[in-house]
Amino acid sequence: MCDELNSKDAEAYFLQQGAGKGVSRRTFGRLGIGAGIGTALASALPWSAVAEVEGGVSLVESNVTVPTPDGEADCYFVHPAEGRHPAVIMWPDIFGIRPAVRQMGKRLAQSGYAVLVVNPYYRNMHGQLVPDDAKIIGPELREKIFPKGRELAGTLSPQTCVTDGKAFIAFLDKQAAVDPAKKAGTAGYCMTGSYTFRLAAAMPERFGAGASFHGGGLVTEAPDSPHRLIPEIKAGFLVAIAENDDERQPEAKVELRKAFDAAGLDATVEVYEGAMHGWCPPDSMAYNQPQAERAWQEMLTLFGKRLT
């Protein structure tokens, strides 16, 4: 889970890289994660837009409102302009839906998926915590917005994860761009890494793959700890663990591996060397380009194999 200890590690890494300069943010542009991540993809986005992206893939992107038992969730939906595709729910980290996460969803859609990037905080806040023009959530910005993010995260629960996830998949399965006959996928970061377990366990026949990146609270003493849900899961899994998370809870990877093996599931549980908590989103202080790319490719491999 994103906390003060992880924040200090991320800030130290950020400063060690020359306040982020050592980790090239030019990669934003090359990966489709930098150019125009401001107002074009925030609240000013038209209801539906078609964009040509790198590789010549035409995408349709839109801001959508998804009805749930607790209200209306503001989300970002992006998919290839032609055909029907596997559905993927992308859950953001504690900083919520924002331009960089939308671009991650957009990049995943480029690989042939219908992606819903969700705002898990919709019950208490529509829109985003992170300003449109913030390409990096640096120390000052983090100090300003983290307390609110932690407060909002505290309003969520295992139950809201499942009720929201079921509403999101119901929305996706009604979309012309989604092929409901194909298994769905889900990806979560930081606090929402656990959501991938909970949703895959709640809907085992619908979900074919889950990916948790620097997920927090995967192994706890609670009766409903995510690792205890693995026997109920039928999906393949990628569990990508930050090195500093592993240092603080080295037994977590062991318990996860044992649970996946006992259930006979196809799962990769790996500690990413040199990667700090939060290393995957490109606007994170802990962003580690080589390891983020490796994790991304592992996710694509899993999804390509299981979302059929």
Side-chain angles (χ1 to χ4, degrees), residues 221-242:
E221 297 297 325
D224 65 346
S225 171
H227 81 290
R228 301 187 199 278
L229 301 177
I230 289 174
E232 303 171 33
I233 292 173
K234 295 184 179 180
F237 254 80
L238 168 65
V239 183
I241 303 170

Side-chain angles (χ1 to χ4, degrees), residues 2 92-98 121 128-130 137 141-142 145-146 149 191 283:
C2 188
D93 58 24
I94 196 168
F95 296 111
I97 192 169
R98 58 192 189 274
Y121 301 145
Q128 58 192 50
L129 284 169
V130 179
I137 303 175
L141 178 58
R142 187 192 184 283
I145 65 176
F146 180 71
M191 68 174 191
D283 61 353

